[in-house]
């Protein structure tokens, strides 16, 4: 994973820490989200673009309406994805700089039975999680990298089973040595998360299995996982 993608991942982790955490300490987690944005050139560029010409005051007035006559209706966010990103970013900045008291905002606009905890949970459901997920969708390369990392982990789990299977066969010494050499290189490539090397070694391994007549469901699974790298 590149440093730029890692910076975006740090931001998503900070959002998840807020969304999946508790009301206590939540303001510090909002500050951590803003800090993660500042540390990522890609996120800085994204939020500069969506906030340009965005009228936060008017949008906030429309979606965050003070309760009238004792009635309280939970606030909603803009339906347009870019507007939602801009709105939540500005909202977080307002909370972080102290101009919008967080506890008061929760009870004014996300009221649930007078409970800070329940109101905070609604805030996370309506605000934090959509905000996080939309940003994640803006960077499909991150999903590709994460998928690849998951696939390397899957290979690391099944390769020992394949090694045990092959070594249980009646192999000639030369075939056993060839297998050990192939498998040593394959295991190292998986450990180093080198997808190109994995595929190159498996191309040779496929012919080796055909020569032995030893293809089965496990080897097919290995080739299928590797095709996703």
């Amino acid at each position: 994973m590149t440093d730029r993608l890692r910076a975006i991942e740090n931001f998503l982790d900070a959002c998840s820490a807020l969304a999946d955490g508790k009301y206590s300490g939540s303001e510090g987690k909002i500050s951590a989200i803003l800090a993660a944005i500042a540390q990522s050139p890609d996120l800085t560029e994204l939020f500069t673009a969506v906030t340009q010409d965005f009228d936060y005051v008017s949008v906030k007035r429309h979606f965050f309406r003070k309760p009238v006559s004792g009635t309280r209706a939970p606030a909603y966010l803009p339906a347009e994805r870019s507007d939602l990103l801009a709105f939540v970013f500005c909202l977080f900045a307002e909370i972080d700089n102290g101009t919008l008291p967080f506890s008061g905002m929760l009870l004014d606009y996300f009221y649930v039975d007078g409970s800070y905890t329940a109101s905070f949970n609604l805030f996370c459901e309506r605000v934090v999680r959509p905000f996080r997920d939309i940003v994640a969708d803006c960077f499909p390369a991150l999903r590709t990298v994460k998928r690849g990392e998951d696939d390397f982990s899957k290979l690391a789990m099944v390769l020992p089973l394949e090694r045990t299977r092959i070594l249980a066969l009646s192999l000639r010494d030369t075939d056993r040595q060839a297998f050990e050499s192939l498998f040593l290189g394959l295991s190292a490539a998986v450990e180093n998360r080198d997808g190109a090397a994995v595929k190159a070694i498996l191309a040779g391994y496929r012919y080796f299995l055909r020569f032995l007549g030893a293809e089965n469901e496990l080897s097919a699974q290995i080739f299928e996982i590797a095709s996703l790298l």
Side-chain angles (χ1 to χ4, degrees), residues 4 7 36-46:
R4 295 182 71 159
I37 292 173
Q39 292 165 7
S40 167
D42 298 286
L43 292 175
T44 300
E45 181 178 349
L46 171 64

Side-chain angles (χ1 to χ4, degrees), residues 27-28 30-32 34-35 90-100:
E27 292 183 65
I30 290 175
S31 298
L34 295 174
C90 293
L91 181 68
F92 281 177
E94 195 177 12
I95 294 169
D96 186 54
N97 65 30
T99 57
L100 179 62

